[in-house]
C-alpha cells in the first residue's frame, strides 16, 4: 500500500493506493473533510484528479461567498 501526502493550493491532501488501480483520497477545506476514491493506474494521474477536485471545491466556495459592496 502506497501513501502520499502532498499540497495543492495550500490544501494538504492524502492519497492512498488501496488496491491496484484504486486510490483513496481525502482533504480538508474550512473544517469540512472531503473523501473519495478514483481509479488510476499511475499515482501521477491520481494526484492530478485530486488536484482537479480541490480546484472545483475552491471555485464553488468562491462562488458562494457574498460579495462586498464597492
Amino acid at each position: 500500500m502506497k501513501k502520499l501526502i502532498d499540497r495543492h493550493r495550500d490544501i494538504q491532501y492524502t492519497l492512498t493506493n488501496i488496491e491496484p488501480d484504486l486510490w483513496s483520497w481525502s482533504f480538508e477545506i474550512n473544517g469540512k473533510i472531503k473523501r473519495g476514491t478514483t481509479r488510476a493506474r499511475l499515482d501521477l494521474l491520481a494526484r492530478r484528479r485530486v488536484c482537479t477536485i480541490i480546484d472545483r471545491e475552491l471555485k464553488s466556495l468562491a462562488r458562494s461567498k457574498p460579495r462586498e459592496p464597492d
Side-chain angles (χ1 to χ4, degrees), residues 7 20 22 30:
R7 295 184 82 74
L22 186 63
N30 293 340

Side-chain angles (χ1 to χ4, degrees), residues 20-36:
D21 301 343
L22 186 63
W23 296 82
S24 172
W25 53 264
S26 66
F27 60 87
E28 180 179 350
I29 298 178
N30 293 340
K32 198 173 181 184
I33 298 173
K34 296 282 188 172
R35 291 187 174 105

Side-chain angles (χ1 to χ4, degrees), residues 5 7 13 22 34 57 64 69:
I5 299 173
R7 295 184 82 74
Y13 65 89
L22 186 63
K34 296 282 188 172
E57 288 295 320
S64 66

Side-chain angles (χ1 to χ4, degrees), residues 2 5 8-9 14 16 45 48 52-53:
K2 189 174 184 180
I5 299 173
H8 177 70
R9 297 190 189 267
T14 304
T16 308
L45 182 56
R48 183 174 177 184
T52 302
I53 294 167

Side-chain angles (χ1 to χ4, degrees), residues 27 36 40 43 46 49 52 60 63 70:
F27 60 87
D43 62 337
R49 288 182 180 163
T52 302
S60 73
R63 270 192 259 131
D70 292 333

